[in-house]
Amino acid sequence: ETNTLPFHPFENQQGDILRVEKEHQVLKEQLKEAEEKFEQLQSRSLEEIGALEELLKKSVQETEVSQNELDWFHQDSDTQMKKWQQEKKENRDNLKALRSTAKKHSDTNERYLKTINDKEKQYNGCLDKFLETSNKFAHDKGKLEELIKKSQDDSQECEKRAVKAEVSVLQTWKETEIWKLKGTIAKAEGNLRMLKALSSSASAAPVLKSQIDSWEIFIANVKKQLEKVEAEYDEKIELVKNGARNCLSKVEVVDFPFP
């Protein structure tokens, strides 16, 4: 459509059709020039014939002057007639050559016109086919764009649901681990309270002090573990909400043995 590439199969290279049209125009101009030259030659021949006829008339009128002049006139007339006949023959040959050239140019012109008409029909057919295909592609493109938009909407919805599901799983794991650690802490604190109650006796205090210290250290470690687990799960949940991937994994929990 933009005429920037050769139009196959009508052009082997860009500008073939334009070059043929220019050659056709040059041939038309040459034919016109030949016709004008022929008309000039014909006009000059007619003028020379008129002049010779006038000279012949004058010679006839002067026949009475002298026989010598009459002979000279006949001689001159014969010479002029031969010259005129020679020029007429040359003009006839030139006219024949010009007619042959004109016929050749006319045949070439008709052949070029027929070729141009055929190429134009083929071009119009290809153009119609191209426009039909283009319209079909535009229609298909519209459908594909609608499907892409729908797929994008579905993908966004699935992504939201997936994020929600991952957050729910991480929240469940977090609550489970926190429940376990808090249960451990509650049990350890119960044991600690019982040991402290038993250590109220002066005789038992020295024996139970090391055990009480062990349980206090145990409870402190579990509380640190609880804070760590809670912080790491919160961080994973925040990353998932912000679009991060591959975050669905459990936080490693250290299992401290009971004292």
Side-chain angles (χ1 to χ4, degrees), residues 7-251:
F7 184 51
H8 296 291
F10 316 117
E11 290 182 322
N12 292 323
Q13 58 183 2
Q14 184 180 359
D16 283 348
I17 293 179
L18 292 177
R19 188 177 68 256
V20 171
E21 290 180 352
K22 289 180 180 178
E23 292 175 356
H24 174 212
Q25 185 64 30
V26 170
L27 291 176
K28 286 178 66 177
E29 292 175 358
Q30 291 178 351
L31 176 60
K32 182 178 179 181
E33 182 179 355
E35 290 176 348
E36 291 175 355
K37 187 174 181 181
F38 167 71
E39 289 175 359
Q40 291 175 1
L41 291 174
Q42 189 177 34
S43 176
R44 190 175 67 183
S45 298
L46 291 174
E47 290 175 359
E48 291 177 355
I49 291 172
L52 290 174
E53 288 177 348
E54 185 68 21
L55 181 61
L56 180 61
K57 181 179 179 182
K58 185 177 179 181
S59 297
V60 171
Q61 292 175 352
E62 293 177 353
T63 303
E64 298 175 357
V65 178
S66 70
Q67 186 65 37
N68 292 331
E69 292 180 352
L70 179 61
D71 294 338
W72 174 84
F73 171 76
H74 282 303
Q75 184 179 1
D76 186 67
S77 177
D78 290 340
T79 302
Q80 293 292 336
M81 184 63 68
K82 289 178 180 179
K83 180 180 178 182
W84 176 80
Q85 288 178 349
Q86 180 65 28
E87 290 182 352
K88 182 178 180 181
K89 182 177 181 298
E90 292 176 356
N91 291 336
R92 188 181 294 111
D93 293 339
N94 290 334
L95 178 61
K96 183 178 180 181
L98 289 174
R99 285 178 176 174
S100 176
T101 303
K103 185 176 184 306
K104 181 180 179 181
H105 291 169
S106 178
D107 294 340
T108 303
N109 184 31
E110 290 180 359
R111 186 169 67 254
Y112 284 159
L113 287 175
K114 183 177 182 302
T115 302
I116 291 172
N117 290 333
D118 293 339
K119 300 297 184 184
E120 186 176 1
K121 289 179 180 178
Q122 294 177 4
Y123 169 76
N124 290 331
C126 292
L127 180 61
D128 293 339
K129 187 176 180 181
F130 168 76
L131 292 175
E132 180 182 356
T133 306
S134 178
N135 292 333
K136 182 180 178 182
F137 283 161
H139 180 68
D140 294 341
K141 180 183 177 183
K143 287 186 176 180
L144 288 175
E145 287 177 348
E146 292 178 358
L147 290 174
I148 290 171
K149 186 177 183 303
K150 185 176 182 302
S151 297
Q152 289 175 344
D153 294 340
D154 293 342
S155 176
Q156 291 176 357
E157 183 64 26
C158 290
E159 186 174 349
K160 290 179 181 178
R161 291 170 59 188
V163 170
K164 186 176 180 181
E166 289 186 11
V167 169
S168 177
V169 170
L170 291 172
Q171 190 68 34
T172 301
W173 288 347
K174 171 188 170 183
E175 292 174 356
T176 301
E177 295 298 334
I178 289 174
W179 177 80
K180 289 180 180 180
L181 292 172
K182 284 184 176 180
T184 301
I185 292 171
K187 184 176 180 181
E189 287 177 345
N191 291 336
L192 182 61
R193 284 193 298 273
M194 182 181 66
L195 289 172
K196 285 182 178 181
L198 293 174
S199 67
S200 60
S201 171
S203 59
V207 178
L208 298 177
K209 185 178 184 306
S210 62
Q211 296 185 24
I212 290 171
D213 292 341
S214 297
W215 280 101
E216 287 178 346
I217 293 172
F218 174 78
I219 291 170
N221 289 334
V222 174
K223 285 183 177 181
K224 289 181 181 179
Q225 184 70 16
L226 175 62
E227 293 175 357
K228 173 180 174 295
V229 169
E230 188 173 6
E232 290 187 8
Y233 270 115
D234 289 340
E235 182 181 359
K236 284 179 175 288
I237 291 171
E238 192 64 27
L239 288 174
V240 170
K241 288 181 179 179
N242 292 331
R245 296 290 181 270
N246 301 323
C247 294
L248 194 62
S249 60
K250 289 185 177 182
V251 173

